[in-house]
């Protein structure tokens, strides 16, 4: 009986395997030797698809960017038309959800999209939607930057998870206002989600005020 053929090596297989390694063990776990072993191939065969480890990590980062929903920015989809604020909210929620699934790759994503196709499509869609909604290009750029800071910062770690669940760790004599801090860890998901939504609403409320001033100024000068 013929032996089953090994799956052909491809960029997608390499990226999927590297992403699984990053998710499970962090960025340091990725090396060409480790990837070759995981894929059951020789190390040099990887170089037919990627020249360096950094290129592999860039591709992993882009595969995560590709998971972010951009449909809310599709101006051609009349059935799903959303105002700029709603679209920005829904995009931020989808963006954070993708990063929560792959938090170990966030430091690579935080360097910016560079030449990554999915990352550039993400930036182009958001920027284009803001400009189409009436934001000047300079302000649309600032909105993109501040949203990225906020979303990626929220994905880098858990505020609630940063406290231990040992009440003796927070002696009232030293920390008079942290008497309940040991309870935060067990409610990590709820607290972090609530904080993200509160911060996102505050950002959008502030932008909405700026937008009202912008449109009022245009009306007055017309």
């Amino acid at each position: 009986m013929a032996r089953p053929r090994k799956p052909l090596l491809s960029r997608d297989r390499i990226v999927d395997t590297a992403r699984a390694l990053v998710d499970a063990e962090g960025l340091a776990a990725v090396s060409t030797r480790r990837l070759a072993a995981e894929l059951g191939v020789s190390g040099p065969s990887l170089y037919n698809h990627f020249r360096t480890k950094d290129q592999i990590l860039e591709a992993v980062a882009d595969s995560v960017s590709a998971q972010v929903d951009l449909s809310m920015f599709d101006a051609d989809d009349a059935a799903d038309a959303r105002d700029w604020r709603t679209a920005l909210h829904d995009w931020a929620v989808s963006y954070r959800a993708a990063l929560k699934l792959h938090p170990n790759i966030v430091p690579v994503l935080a360097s910016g999209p560079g030449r990554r196709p999915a990352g550039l499509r993400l930036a182009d869609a958001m920027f284009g939607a803001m400009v189409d909604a009436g934001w000047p290009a300079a302000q649309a750029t600032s909105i993109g930057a501040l949203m990225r800071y906020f979303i990626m910062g929220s994905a880098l770690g858990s505020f609630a998870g940063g406290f231990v669940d040992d009440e003796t760790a927070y002696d009232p004599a030293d920390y008079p206002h942290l008497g309940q801090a040991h309870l935060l860890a067990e409610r990590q998901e709820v607290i972090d989600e609530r904080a993200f939504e509160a911060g996102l609403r505050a950002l959008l409320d502030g932008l909405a005020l700026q937008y009202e001033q912008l449109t009022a100024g245009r009306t007055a000068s017309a």
Side-chain angles (χ1 to χ4, degrees):
M1 181 179 295
R3 300 176 67 179
R5 295 178 59 190
K6 291 181 180 180
L8 292 175
L9 189 62
S10 67
R11 285 180 63 92
D12 286 345
R13 278 194 69 212
I14 296 170
V15 170
D16 289 347
T17 302
R19 186 174 58 242
L21 274 177
V22 172
D23 289 345
E25 302 179 34
L27 295 172
V30 178
S31 68
T32 53
R33 178 178 295 182
R34 178 73 184 278
L35 279 174
E38 294 285 336
L39 290 161
V41 299
S42 63
S45 63
L46 297 177
Y47 298 123
N48 293 323
H49 303 278
F50 296 98
R51 294 194 302 273
T52 65
K53 168 186 169 178
D54 286 344
Q55 284 189 348
I56 295 172
L57 291 176
E58 287 285 306
V60 170
D62 211 39
S63 74
V64 173
S65 294
Q67 297 174 18
V68 180
D69 182 16
L70 300 177
S71 63
M72 67 286 296
F73 296 137
D74 187 358
D76 296 328
D77 187 359
D80 191 33
R82 288 173 243 189
D83 63 89
W84 70 265
R85 175 178 174 145
T86 302
L88 203 56
H89 173 278
D90 295 348
W91 170 75
V93 170
S94 176
Y95 201 163
R96 180 170 179 263
L99 299 188
K100 279 184 63 180
L101 292 175
H102 311 283
N104 291 335
I105 199 64
V106 172
V108 180
L109 284 164
S111 67
R115 297 177 182 271
R116 301 182 211 121
L120 290 170
R121 284 193 294 271
L122 185 154
D124 181 72
M126 192 285 302
F127 177 79
M130 294 304 102
V131 171
D132 289 345
W135 287 98
Q139 287 179 272
T141 299
S142 295
I143 291 171
L146 76 88
M147 294 301 292
R148 191 163 71 87
Y149 298 152
F150 175 67
I151 296 165
M152 290 195 178
S154 74
L156 281 173
S158 164
F159 170 79
F163 294 87
V164 298
D165 59 3
D166 177 7
E167 62 180 313
T168 65
Y170 307 108
D171 189 331
D174 296 322
Y175 315 107
H177 304 296
L178 297 182
Q180 302 296 309
H182 65 284
L183 302 176
L184 294 175
E186 67 182 28
R187 303 187 63 221
Q188 175 178 330
E189 186 72 19
V190 172
I191 292 169
D192 290 346
E193 288 296 326
R194 189 172 61 203
F196 178 77
E197 279 293 337
L200 182 56
R201 283 197 305 273
L203 281 176
L204 295 176
D205 285 347
L207 289 175
L209 287 174
Q210 292 183 37
Y211 190 75
E212 289 175 9
Q213 295 169 358
L214 178 68
T215 53
R218 287 172 175 165
T219 300
S221 62

